Amino acid sequence: MREVQITGDSIRLGQLLKLADAVDAGSDVKQLLATGEVTVNGEVETRRGRQLARGDEVSTRAEDLKVV
């Protein structure tokens, strides 16, 4: 699991995926989420605006991320 450090108290899912280079461009986030292959804390998530806080875990088909 790769840790992704954020500067504020929270970050949106779409921003995290871009920050972690899980997508090439911000516009690719919507397509990735539409596949149903992104989970947040073990549950499928399709909202790119989902707020994440430190300790949340995000999984894609390619890798697992933890917000720190």
Side-chain angles (χ1 to χ4, degrees):
M1 179 168 296
R2 184 164 62 101
E3 294 184 347
V4 180
Q5 184 147 1
I6 62 173
T7 56
D9 291 333
S10 65
I11 189 170
R12 291 186 179 154
L13 178 57
Q15 293 171 324
L16 178 80
L17 293 172
K18 179 65 177 135
L19 177 66
D21 291 324
V23 293
D24 293 326
S27 59
D28 296 334
V29 172
K30 186 175 181 180
Q31 184 178 5
L32 178 64
L33 293 173
T35 66
E37 296 180 18
V38 177
T39 62
V40 175
N41 299 325
E43 296 186 15
V44 173
E45 184 58 69
T46 58
R47 299 172 294 161
R48 64 181 172 181
R50 161 82 185 261
Q51 290 290 324
L52 304 172
R54 288 183 176 86
D56 284 338
E57 296 180 0
V58 177
S59 295
T60 69
R61 66 179 161 220
E63 66 182 319
D64 296 327
L65 307 167
K66 183 171 185 170
V67 181
V68 294

